[in-house]
Amino acid sequence: MQSSIIGYPRVGSQRELKFATEKYFRNEMGSSELYSIASGIRKSQWAIEKESGLDYIPSNDFSFYDTTLDTAVLLNIIPERYSELGLSELDTYFAMARGYQGEKGDVKALAMKKWFNTNYHYMVPEADDNTSVKLVGTKPFDEYLEAKAEGVETKPVIVGAFTLLKLTKFTGEKNAVDFADSVAEAYSEILRKFSSLGAKWVQFDEPYLVHDLSEDDIELFKALYSKILSAKGSVKVLLETYFGDIRDCYNDVAKLDFDGIGLDFVEGRETLALVNKNGFPDDKLLFAGLVNGKNIWRNNYSRTLAVLDTLSDAGIDTVISTSCSLLHVPYTLDNETKLSEDFKNHFAFAEEKLSELSEIKALFPETDRSISEAYKKNEALFEKREGATDESVRKRVSEIKEADFERLPAFSEREKIQKKEFNLPKFPTTTIGSFPQTQDVKANRTAFRKGTITEEEYKEFNRKKIAECIKLQENIGLDVLVHGEYERNDMVEYFGEQLKGFLFTEKAWVQSYGTRCVKPPIIWGDVSRIKPITVEWSTYAQSLTDKPLKGMLTGPVTILNWSFPREDISTKESTYQIALAIRDEVLDLEASGIRVIQIDEAALREKLPLRKSDWYSEYLDWAIPAFRLVHSGVKPETQIHTHMCYSEFTDIIKAIDDMDADVITFEASRSDLQILDSLKESGFKTEVGPGVYDIHSPRVPSVEEIKTSLHKMLGKVQPDKLWVNPDCGLKTRGTVETEASLRNLVQAARELRNENI
Ligand code: GLN
Ligand code: ZN
């Protein structure tokens, strides 16, 4: 048996690429140095993969920002507004990724969206009627040759034609079908090129296939690949699918001339049944995604081997693989010096997954596996986990009643009460919570963590920052203030650290988008709150101002979604445990005089199952109640805000309204304002703050630009329900651009108030 992975992380095990790229952005590093650091990362990873005994080693899984963007650029899907800036190739690429504001022009970034059901974001390719799709780039070929020169034969990985077309935004009259021919031709050209370079395999990633597909989708897929595959020459083509099963097109896919098909046996609930029922073509290799590419728990060898045995009994030629790219897990446990071995034994990050693959590969042909040390060690892990169960938590969850999900009185009543209570101006202004995490803020946290300053010194510094932040917001003229979140490294990690049941890592970074990485906590056991978490900071901030101060919490669904979840109890059970813990915090904030409380559910949308038929039964039926459970205990006067990153909730708008918050802020500036139509159509009751500018980019929006957005919003949202705010937290931004942007935002709101709307 052979082994394969779909892709590897790329920011570097010490985030070398992130730091280098950010230096490049700040003009502190030239492009040649950046290229050479990137090359070093690629080479060292290939060496590790080869060393582990991996048979199919990926290339072109590297990216300076995002592989979907790489593919768009490779195929000349570059909107004119970027190409006409006249920047270098690399800078044009970064302009598409992050926007550009400088002497050559002023353009926003491409839209960014969550990559399927993950916390990774891809850049949305954009094509208009003049876009001429053709192979113009050389990245996959360069990287293939670079590996070859190192003595490593790789399997280049490219986002497939179908997924690329489905993810592309078409801004003109033409649609995916109109581009099918030129796209198929460009991919054919890729295969011809690889064939001439002597590549053995090419992997096309088609995760889009795990959605509910229409007949047209399947037709498009078939049309694309009957063309593309006829250009294979001597190259073998692996079709990779992940994040679910391909039940809608399994038989169609099996009939096409692929040489390998990758199926996800972890998230694909029906994968095994599909193979059992329909068989698997004997002219192809099955790349069986059995090692979870998304979570960090050790693989259960006995279960994995049982599946491999079934496949082998059915006479299927199988390659053991990860279920998706390892992009979604951290590099290596070797970086974790503080976590005890008792914990570490239960985990496998990317590098450890490589050894799992090789162990499984070695165990597979064994006649008596149970005498193998590796097997025995693995089996023992699944017998019991120390400290995972807390009976009092289990009991509390089992005692939740229907009434605990219901906040009283109803929204419309509360809205009236709160309008009186707060007496805010029309179009109230606020921010999403965090203020810039400048060097001094990070240094303060690091010093405290390392023990070089005392707790009191640490807190004193934060109090000073909070005081400055309050003063700044008052000076700018914002209406509902925040404390700035200086004590937080990350909105989930921070809460996890204060809750019982979580484990933390030092270096377990996972790429979220571009150079941004997150360090998800691990939910080890039953979760509960030990003591108040945010009360001290929020009450201090409130004591400095007469304006309402918004307490800032992360919601249970987001905490769950941005952690590595347990695999031994249901996500619903885990989320209810977290909801009860956050509920305690909400009630403590209220009791301490905090009148506005924001419960961020930044990640609620992203774990929506990819198949519509699963939306409610598998997810929303417990995710929305979990949120309601958090805030149902507060007084009518207490205003509950929530925030969601991104605005693709058109389809679940009813569920979002059912969260029963008083105000929701969300992203609306990067994608178009389409969401507003849906708000209007659905009679959305919750007050809304559709972000008026994009905080993912360093550019400063003008007053006019913000007013234009607000006017558009007012076409769809009742004036007394509209809030004015940026589209997300400001922690990644610089202080100068933040202040300038917020001043423009407040000015825009003021001018609007004078318009007598
Ligand atoms: N309150 C958080 C912040 O402002 C929200 C972050 C987020 O939505 N990702 O940073
Ligand atoms: Zn956000």
Side-chain angles (χ1 to χ4, degrees):
M1 173 168 312
Q2 292 187 305
S3 58
S4 175
I5 60 171
I6 295 178
Y8 209 69
R10 55 213 177 207
V11 288
S13 94
Q14 307 291 335
R15 289 181 296 159
E16 298 87 338
L17 185 66
K18 167 200 169 71
F19 297 119
T21 312
E22 286 174 349
K23 270 195 182 158
Y24 178 75
F25 293 158
R26 293 194 302 266
N27 285 321
E28 292 163 21
M29 183 186 280
S31 60
S32 53
E33 199 182 337
L34 178 62
Y35 280 123
S36 111
I37 288 171
S39 166
I41 291 173
R42 289 191 295 265
K43 288 179 189 166
S44 76
Q45 298 190 175
W46 285 322
I48 288 170
E49 289 162 16
K50 191 172 176 190
E51 175 73 11
S52 79
L54 183 67
D55 300 292
Y56 293 84
I57 296 176
S59 61
N60 198 43
D61 52 343
F62 171 83
S63 181
F64 276 114
Y65 210 91
D66 167 50
T67 47
T68 304
L69 179 61
D70 294 338
T71 314
V73 169
L74 176 73
L75 302 182
N76 201 35
I77 307 176
I78 304 171
E80 234 172 27
R81 61 181 185 278
Y82 302 105
S83 48
E84 70 193 14
L85 291 170
L87 300 167
S88 71
E89 212 175 291
L90 183 64
D91 288 344
T92 307
Y93 174 85
F94 283 136
M96 295 170 77
R98 323 166 58 229
Y100 175 89
Q101 197 169 34
E103 55 195 28
K104 304 222 166 137
D106 181 359
V107 284
K108 292 187 195 174
L110 287 174
M112 188 164 76
K113 282 191 187 164
K114 300 269 172 188
W115 178 244
F116 297 85
N117 52 6
T118 73
N119 181 29
Y120 174 73
H121 306 64
Y122 71 99
M123 305 304 306
V124 181
E126 196 183 297
D128 61 29
D129 292 349
N130 295 322
T131 303
S132 151
V133 181
K134 55 182 182 225
L135 178 63
V136 292
T138 58
K139 178 180 180 292
F141 316 112
D142 297 344
E143 290 178 19
Y144 171 76
L145 292 173
E146 184 185 34
K148 202 164 186 157
E150 295 288 298
V152 184
E153 174 66 29
T154 57
K155 161 198 73 169
V157 174
I158 299 172
V159 176
F162 176 69
T163 296
L164 183 75
L165 279 173
K166 293 304 287 184
L167 298 184
T168 296
K169 180 170 148 195
F170 299 97
T171 56
E173 299 289 312
K174 289 192 191 167
N175 60 27
V177 173
D178 299 315
F179 283 97
D181 278 342
S182 55
V183 165
E185 178 47 34
Y187 278 84
S188 305
E189 190 58 29
I190 292 175
L191 288 182
R192 284 193 284 268
K193 260 255 168 72
F194 274 122
S195 183
S196 75
L197 295 177
K200 300 198 169 60
W201 282 85
V202 169
Q203 170 183 319
F204 289 133
D205 282 5
E206 292 287 9
Y208 204 91
L209 291 180
V210 310
H211 285 105
D212 294 321
L213 299 179
S214 66
E215 302 242 315
D216 287 350
D217 287 332
I218 297 173
E219 280 318 305
L220 175 62
F221 182 83
K222 289 203 293 200
L224 287 167
Y225 278 97
S226 13
K227 253 216 173 126
I228 296 170
L229 292 170
S230 67
K232 294 200 287 191
S234 56
V235 188
K236 292 189 169 159
V237 177
L238 163 60
L239 171 79
E240 260 305 347
T241 67
Y242 40 87
F243 304 141
D245 60 65
I246 59 166
R247 66 186 82 148
D248 299 330
C249 59
Y250 181 82
N251 286 317
D252 298 293
V253 164
K255 276 187 217 128
L256 288 162
D257 193 18
F258 293 108
D259 302 277
I261 298 178
L263 301 176
D264 178 351
F265 285 77
V266 174
E267 284 189 90
R269 273 188 288 141
E270 290 190 14
T271 299
L272 188 57
L274 279 170
V275 176
N276 282 338
K277 184 166 154 243
N278 303 289
F280 189 84
D282 34 317
D283 60 335
K284 306 188 198 322
L285 280 178
L286 170 58
F287 287 68
L290 281 157
V291 171
N292 195 340
K294 261 191 184 170
N295 209 345
I296 45 67
W297 299 93
R298 281 261 163 209
N299 184 268
N300 186 324
Y301 289 176
S302 93
R303 265 196 245 156
T304 295
L305 287 161
V307 177
L308 290 173
D309 289 340
T310 313
L311 297 173
S312 144
D313 291 347
I316 300 168
D317 227 344
T318 306
V319 174
I320 169 99
S321 169
T322 53
S323 63
C324 61
S325 167
L326 296 175
L327 176 69
H328 311 291
V329 291
Y331 269 84
T332 172
L333 279 161
D334 287 349
N335 287 338
E336 303 306 321
T337 56
K338 296 199 180 128
L339 218 52
S340 85
E341 290 300 319
D342 292 343
F343 290 129
K344 278 178 24 175
N345 283 337
H346 287 269
F347 306 138
F349 296 173
E351 218 174 295
E352 292 77 28
K353 284 182 195 282
L354 292 176
S355 38
E356 290 192 326
L357 288 170
S358 80
E359 281 186 354
I360 297 167
K361 199 166 79 170
L363 282 167
F364 179 69
E366 294 295 322
T367 38
D368 188 4
R369 292 165 186 156
S370 60
I371 56 169
S372 140
E373 278 311 312
Y375 189 88
K376 280 195 273 191
K377 198 174 159 214
N378 184 267
E379 211 172 24
L381 293 176
F382 296 90
E383 276 153 22
K384 189 173 159 26
R385 265 184 318 110
E386 232 23 78
T389 312
D390 179 336
E391 288 309 333
S392 62
V393 175
R394 295 285 168 105
K395 183 158 178 283
R396 198 172 164 203
V397 170
S398 73
E399 285 169 0
I400 298 172
K401 300 179 299 297
E402 266 316 297
D404 296 331
F405 296 108
E406 195 69 43
R407 182 174 173 199
L408 293 171
F411 175 85
S412 55
E413 254 333 276
R414 292 183 335 245
E415 193 179 29
K416 277 184 233 143
I417 297 170
Q418 290 169 17
K419 289 258 185 244
K420 249 200 225 133
E421 168 81 13
F422 291 101
N423 197 22
L424 293 169
K426 221 168 169 180
F427 315 125
T429 54
T430 189
T431 62
I432 308 303
S434 59
F435 266 68
Q437 293 256 327
T438 41
Q439 280 314 320
D440 54 338
V441 173
K442 290 183 195 159
N444 182 50
R445 273 201 316 264
T446 311
F448 178 47
R449 206 178 51 234
K450 293 204 171 131
T452 51
I453 55 170
T454 65
E455 181 167 2
E456 194 39 42
E457 284 168 319
Y458 165 75
K459 286 189 173 172
E460 188 47 39
F461 175 90
N462 277 349
R463 280 195 289 268
K464 200 181 91 221
K465 289 305 273 192
I466 291 174
E468 282 167 20
C469 186
I470 296 288
K471 216 188 234 149
L472 176 70
Q473 294 173 80
E474 286 192 324
N475 183 282
I476 291 173
L478 288 154
D479 300 308
V480 175
L481 312 192
V482 296
H483 76 286
E485 300 183 22
Y486 300 108
E487 74 288 5
R488 300 184 196 180
N489 34 4
D490 173 273
M491 62 187 289
V492 167
E493 191 181 38
Y494 177 72
F495 284 91
E497 266 166 5
Q498 321 265 343
L499 295 170
K500 188 182 155 210
F502 282 81
L503 279 187
F504 293 90
T505 56
E506 287 161 86
K507 295 265 171 63
W509 297 98
V510 178
Q511 187 178 17
S512 169
Y513 68 88
T515 59
R516 175 137 183 84
C517 300
V518 293
K519 201 149 57 77
I522 299 168
I523 307 182
W524 173 264
D526 292 336
V527 176
S528 58
R529 191 188 71 149
I530 307 152
K531 56 176 197 313
I533 302 171
T534 62
V535 175
E536 184 181 344
W537 302 120
S538 293
T539 49
Y540 175 68
Q542 181 67 86
S543 76
L544 303 173
T545 179
D546 293 332
K547 296 203 168 168
L549 186 286
K550 187 156 65 163
M552 199 56 63
L553 306 175
T554 304
V557 184
T558 297
I559 293 184
L560 190 284
N561 285 352
W562 282 352
S563 301
F564 290 113
R566 290 168 74 169
E567 292 181 344
D568 62 335
I569 65 169
S570 71
T571 25
K572 172 180 170 176
E573 170 99 14
S574 230
T575 311
Y576 279 10
Q577 293 178 357
I578 303 168
L580 289 173
I582 302 296
R583 179 186 169 97
D584 295 344
E585 185 72 10
V586 165
L587 294 174
D588 277 351
L589 279 173
E590 182 184 62
S592 322
I594 301 300
R595 299 149 69 212
V596 185
I597 301 170
Q598 178 171 311
I599 306 157
D600 288 325
E601 281 295 16
L604 190 131
R605 170 65 177 79
E606 84 189 24
K607 287 284 153 68
L608 193 66
L610 296 173
R611 289 184 186 275
K612 239 181 169 153
S613 46
D614 293 340
W615 281 2
Y616 281 86
S617 58
E618 297 282 318
Y619 185 65
L620 293 172
D621 283 348
W622 54 262
I624 303 300
F627 183 86
R628 296 171 65 111
L629 185 57
V630 174
H631 70 88
S632 63
V634 299
K635 296 183 288 197
E637 299 81 23
T638 300
Q639 190 168 69
I640 298 293
H641 289 219
T642 188
H643 165 71
M644 292 183 38
C645 299
Y646 307 93
S647 57
E648 285 94 49
F649 52 80
T650 313
D651 304 326
I652 54 162
I653 205 131
K654 182 79 186 56
I656 301 300
D657 222 11
D658 276 348
M659 290 164 79
D660 204 24
D662 298 306
V663 181
I664 177 166
T665 57
F666 54 87
E667 178 271 354
S669 56
R670 274 202 159 196
S671 43
D672 43 37
L673 296 173
Q674 218 179 41
I675 178 72
L676 301 176
D677 290 315
S678 327
L679 294 179
K680 188 171 177 186
E681 276 159 33
S682 71
F684 202 71
K685 68 175 195 319
T686 316
E687 296 187 4
V688 292
V692 293
Y693 76 88
D694 171 17
I695 64 87
H696 302 87
S697 149
R699 68 184 285 287
V700 174
S702 68
V703 177
E704 273 320 304
E705 194 177 319
I706 298 175
K707 267 171 63 184
T708 307
S709 298
L710 286 169
H711 278 132
K712 275 196 207 145
M713 292 172 190
L714 280 168
K716 314 281 178 188
V717 177
Q718 289 169 39
D720 58 343
K721 283 198 191 283
L722 185 64
W723 286 67
V724 181
N725 46 264
D727 70 352
C728 196
L730 301 164
K731 65 168 165 259
T732 56
R733 294 275 61 91
T735 40
V736 178
E737 73 220 30
T738 296
E739 182 173 341
S741 301
L742 291 177
R743 284 195 190 282
N744 289 353
L745 177 148
V746 168
Q747 183 58 26
R750 285 190 179 142
E751 291 180 18
L752 206 67
R753 284 170 198 154
N754 291 334
E755 284 178 20
N756 252 333
I757 292 163

